[in-house]
Amino acid sequence: MIVLKTFNRKELEDFISSGAFQQYDFLPITKHRALSHLKNPKAADEDTLLILAFYEEKLIGYVGCFPDLFVIDGKEIRYAWLSTLYVNPEYRKKKPAKALLKKVFEEYEGRIAITEFTKEAEALYNIMGVFEYVFPKKGKRYYFKTDAAKMIPEKKPETKALKPLFQTLDAAANLLLSIKNLPTQKPDFKYEVLERIDKESIDFMTDFSGVRDAEEINAFIDHPWVLEGRKDERYLFSSFADTFKYFWIKIFDQNNKLKACLLLQLRDGYLKIPYLFSNADLDEVVRFLNYFMITNRVKGFTSYQTQLNKAIQQSKTFSHIYERDFHREYLFHKDLLELLPKNFNPNYQDGDGDCMMT
């Protein structure tokens, strides 16, 4: 018989501080991800943040919950994102994944959302029969360097033996690209690069509606899910990377007035833009991004920011070598959808949900 154990904020804090989470064959959570959950401004004390599944006192699976909320007509609608779901393959016939999901539905009364899921997980969610696809986003990935040594073996594992050859080809191609980009000059407009959101930016952001405010974004910048360092192989989700940094960018107009703010996330050569705030044209944003990509040796850049992608398509200076379309799906539990107004759209930015964390 499968036994489930839930952890709210206080219980998770005790679980981590005691070191008890380290005792299992695989880790159900990392210390820094747990700390981030504890610092989540939208997590209530009673919210379930982690559920463990045991069989004969052996840990066989877990699911992580990431609380969030909508404010609609002054009323809060609380829900949670599924941030992790893992089961030991040896025990899949015991169906711990379904048991964990049913417990999550029970804890949150069906108010569950999911995004950035694997094909395998998506199949399971569809089998459950309680989710609907909503609010799809179209995006782009732009490539600035070749990365055959990483991409080809990932798609075709039988080519791993050729990785040294791919590395040599990457080095030669990227040297030529670096030479080509040498004439790129620093932007001729004023901008600032900060580690977190400052007071001037907070005042600027009040003119924009969104799911997250500056306080919440700063909380996750200060308490990331991914740290720079060597990964503990016992944890199956994102936890460490060679490079993982956030950059808060401020761009000013000719009158020294703030005209755009954006959050960048750089991980192992790949860039994302979780948040962008601007009512002006985005020409300076595109020019800054191009300069940032080159100076930081960015390999690829993924954006679901519709207006930014349009501005990039119109730009003659954005020096990418290749681009391809991306698509992001969101799954909402039917019970959550019933609480939302007809034709409701949260207008999620790239970083909403748990996307900015990894």
Side-chain angles (χ1 to χ4, degrees):
M1 178 179 178
I2 293 177
V3 176
L4 302 175
K5 180 174 176 56
T6 63
F7 294 81
N8 60 24
R9 176 178 266 160
K10 179 63 169 61
E11 291 163 341
L12 181 59
E13 184 176 17
D14 292 343
F15 185 51
I16 295 299
S17 61
S18 69
F21 73 105
Q22 294 272 9
Q23 65 183 295
Y24 307 109
D25 295 336
F26 55 88
L27 298 180
I29 197 168
T30 62
K31 185 174 183 178
H32 53 277
R33 183 179 283 218
L35 179 60
S36 185
H37 279 292
L38 298 175
K39 296 295 183 178
N40 180 2
K42 289 179 178 173
D45 290 343
E46 66 275 11
D47 284 341
T48 294
L49 305 178
L50 180 68
I51 305 175
L52 306 186
F54 296 89
Y55 183 77
E56 295 180 348
E57 300 185 354
K58 181 181 178 65
L59 180 66
I60 63 170
Y62 59 86
V63 64
C65 312
F66 184 48
D68 204 342
L69 60 85
F70 295 122
V71 178
I72 302 173
D73 296 330
K75 179 183 177 182
E76 287 188 357
I77 298 177
R78 302 185 60 81
Y79 66 105
W81 298 89
L82 289 189
S83 62
T84 56
L85 175 62
Y86 173 76
V87 298
N88 185 331
E90 296 178 11
Y91 291 86
R92 283 181 179 170
K93 289 185 179 181
K94 303 292 182 184
K95 299 184 178 180
K98 286 188 176 182
L100 285 164
L101 287 174
K102 287 181 179 179
K103 185 62 175 176
V104 167
F105 302 158
E106 177 186 324
E107 293 294 306
Y108 283 92
E109 299 178 336
R111 292 171 283 117
I112 294 296
I114 321 172
T115 191
E116 297 285 283
F117 36 77
T118 64
K119 290 293 183 183
E120 183 181 23
E122 183 179 13
L124 173 62
Y125 301 144
N126 286 328
I127 288 173
M128 299 298 291
V130 296
F131 289 104
E132 292 186 11
Y133 290 91
V134 291
F135 323 126
K137 294 177 75 70
K138 293 182 178 180
K140 289 278 189 180
R141 174 166 290 178
Y142 307 93
Y143 295 89
F144 278 71
K145 291 181 177 291
T146 67
D147 196 12
K150 176 178 183 293
M151 298 174 66
I152 295 178
E154 283 183 353
K155 292 185 177 181
K156 298 182 177 181
E158 67 273 15
T159 66
K160 285 184 179 179
L162 298 176
K163 188 171 182 178
L165 173 61
F166 297 145
Q167 289 174 330
T168 301
L169 294 174
D170 283 337
N174 290 328
L175 176 60
L176 293 175
L177 289 170
S178 296
I179 294 172
K180 172 181 174 291
N181 290 327
L182 282 176
T184 303
Q185 297 182 347
K186 185 177 181 179
D188 58 1
F189 49 84
K190 181 182 175 182
Y191 65 86
E192 295 179 6
V193 181
L194 307 178
E195 293 182 352
R196 66 199 307 274
I197 304 174
D198 65 348
K199 177 62 167 61
E200 183 179 27
S201 301
I202 292 173
D203 293 340
F204 178 78
M205 290 168 62
T206 57
D207 292 333
F208 300 86
S209 60
V211 176
R212 287 197 174 121
D213 60 19
E215 176 191 4
E216 189 175 1
I217 296 172
N218 270 341
F220 296 126
I221 292 174
D222 295 340
H223 303 284
W225 287 11
V226 180
L227 300 179
E228 293 185 348
R230 188 172 181 178
K231 180 179 179 179
D232 187 330
E233 296 300 328
R234 292 184 300 156
Y235 189 65
L236 282 301
F237 293 88
S238 295
S239 56
F240 287 91
D242 291 335
T243 302
F244 189 89
K245 295 179 180 178
Y246 289 111
F247 303 85
W248 182 253
I249 312 301
K250 300 166 64 179
I251 295 176
F252 299 83
D253 63 17
Q254 294 179 344
N255 298 317
N256 204 33
K257 185 177 179 181
L258 194 57
K259 67 177 295 185
C261 290
L262 53 153
L263 180 68
L264 302 181
Q265 182 213 84
L266 181 62
R267 176 176 176 174
D268 290 343
Y270 287 86
L271 192 74
K272 294 197 293 188
I273 178 167
Y275 291 98
L276 170 62
F277 302 93
S278 176
N279 279 328
D281 69 82
L282 297 174
D283 178 63
E284 285 89 352
V285 173
V286 173
R287 289 163 59 196
F288 172 82
L289 285 172
N290 190 68
Y291 177 74
F292 184 93
M293 308 279 186
I294 293 170
T295 56
N296 287 275
R297 300 180 179 179
V298 171
K299 298 175 183 177
F301 165 54
T302 305
S303 169
Y304 290 93
Q305 304 284 357
T306 304
Q307 294 305 118
L308 176 62
N309 288 337
K310 288 182 180 179
I312 289 174
Q313 297 299 315
Q314 296 170 1
S315 173
K316 296 180 180 180
T317 60
F318 200 68
S319 55
H320 61 297
I321 59 173
Y322 175 69
E323 67 182 58
R324 66 188 181 102
D325 295 333
F326 265 55
H327 191 75
R328 178 184 289 167
E329 297 279 7
Y330 295 85
L331 287 173
F332 270 38
H333 194 290
K334 294 176 182 178
D335 290 348
L336 173 58
L337 288 173
E338 287 183 2
L339 299 176
L340 302 176
K342 187 177 181 180
N343 299 322
F344 173 77
N345 190 328
N347 295 312
Y348 284 133
Q349 287 219 45
D350 286 24
D352 290 324
D354 58 1
C355 299
M356 78 162 280
M357 314 303 180
T358 59

